[in-house]
Amino acid sequence: NAGVTQTPKFRVLKTGQSMTLLCAQDMNHEYMYWYRQDPGMGLRLIHYSVGEGTTAKGEVPDGYNVSRLKKQNFLLGLESAAPSQTSVYFCASSYSGGQTGNQPQHFGDGTRLSIL
Amino acid sequence: GENVEQHPSTLSVQEGDSAVIKCTYSDSASNYFPWYKQELGKRPQLIIDIRSNVGEKKDQRIAVTLNKTAKHFSLHITETQPEDSAVYFCAASLATFGKGTHLIIQP
C-alpha cells in the first residue's frame, strides 16, 4: 500500500496563477483533509470531506476550493495564487470510525508551495 | 468550534530525563485525543492516542493522560533519547491541532 500520495512535491507559482494539488489514498478511507503548515502555526485545516461528493470548510478556507469526485481522491485548488498562500500543504485521510468515534489520520509527504 | 492550546512551544531536556507536553481543549463533546510526531521535513505520524472513556494509556516510554473534567491531556516521554527530538502535535475533535512543541534532547 502506498498510503497517502500527494502530487506535486514542490511547486513555484507566480501571483495570480492557478493550480491544483492532488491527494490520493489507497486505504478506502471515508474522511480526507487538507491542511496548511506555517512556522509556529501548527496544522490548520483548510477543507475536509466525510465522503465521496461531500466537502466542508475548515478553519482557513478562503482562497481555496476542493472536490471529492472519487472516494480515493481529494483535490485542492488555488484559483488565483497569492504570496500569503506560500506554505507546506498536507493531505490526510482516516476511517470514519462509526460508533467507535474518530480515528487516527494518515498523512501524505506534503507539497511545498511558493508563490512569488 | 474546538480550540486547542499546547504548551510549551519549545522544550529542551537532557538525554535520559523525562519530557511532558500539555494541551487543553474547549469542546466538552470532544472524545478522541491523538498525538503526532513530526521530524524535520517529514510527515506527521501518530505516536499514541486516547479516547474519553480512558484516563491513561501507555506504550513503552510514551504515555498520555486525560482529565476530562479539566479538559486537558498530556504527553509523557520517559528516558528520552536523541531520536525523540522532533515537533509534537496534540489534537482534539475531528481535526483541530495544537500549534506544536519543539522537543530538543540535549546530549
Side-chain angles (χ1 to χ4, degrees), chain B residues 43-75:
Chain B
R43 67 178 78 180
Q45 291 191 294
L46 179 79
I47 54 171
I48 195 167
D49 56 9
I50 191 168
R51 297 189 185 276
S52 57
N53 57 349
V54 175
E56 183 176 1
K57 184 177 179 180
K58 284 185 178 181
D59 182 2
Q60 300 183 339
R61 297 186 296 108
I62 295 173
V64 57
T65 58
L66 172 65
N67 183 327
K68 282 209 69 178
T69 303
K71 289 190 280 189
H72 68 72
F73 56 112
S74 300
L75 178 70

Side-chain angles (χ1 to χ4, degrees), chain A residues 14-94:
Chain A
K14 294 181 179 178
T15 298
Q17 287 185 317
S18 63
M19 80 162 295
T20 300
L21 280 64
L22 172 63
C23 178
Q25 54 95 3
D26 61 2
M27 296 173 283
N28 202 32
H29 286 168
E30 295 88 355
Y31 291 4
M32 296 187 75
Y33 318 79
W34 274 107
Y35 296 91
R36 60 176 291 172
Q37 185 174 38
D38 303 293
M41 299 298 292
L43 291 156
R44 292 185 293 170
L45 185 65
I46 304 172
H47 286 280
Y48 65 98
S49 169
V50 299
E52 181 179 321
T54 72
T55 63
K57 294 180 180 180
E59 178 187 356
V60 290
D62 294 343
Y64 305 96
N65 57 75
V66 289
S67 65
R68 182 109 182 259
L69 299 179
K70 294 183 178 181
K71 185 177 183 179
Q72 63 268 32
N73 296 336
F74 195 28
L75 279 62
L76 178 71
L78 286 73
E79 289 187 348
S80 179
S84 60
Q85 295 178 304
T86 293
S87 188
V88 179
Y89 291 85
F90 283 99
C91 176
S93 69
S94 69

Side-chain angles (χ1 to χ4, degrees), chain B residues 31-107:
Chain B
N31 58 14
Y32 178 63
F33 308 93
W35 286 89
Y36 294 86
K37 175 182 180 182
Q38 186 179 29
E39 296 177 354
L40 188 63
K42 301 286 184 64
R43 67 178 78 180
Q45 291 191 294
L46 179 79
I47 54 171
I48 195 167
D49 56 9
I50 191 168
R51 297 189 185 276
S52 57
N53 57 349
V54 175
E56 183 176 1
K57 184 177 179 180
K58 284 185 178 181
D59 182 2
Q60 300 183 339
R61 297 186 296 108
I62 295 173
V64 57
T65 58
L66 172 65
N67 183 327
K68 282 209 69 178
T69 303
K71 289 190 280 189
H72 68 72
F73 56 112
S74 300
L75 178 70
H76 305 253
I77 304 174
T78 59
E79 300 173 12
T80 52
Q81 299 170 5
E83 55 265 36
D84 295 330
S85 293
V87 178
Y88 292 81
F89 294 97
C90 63
S93 190
L94 184 63
T96 304
F97 284 75
K99 288 184 167 48
T101 296
H102 186 194
L103 177 61
I104 300 166
I105 308 301
Q106 302 280 5

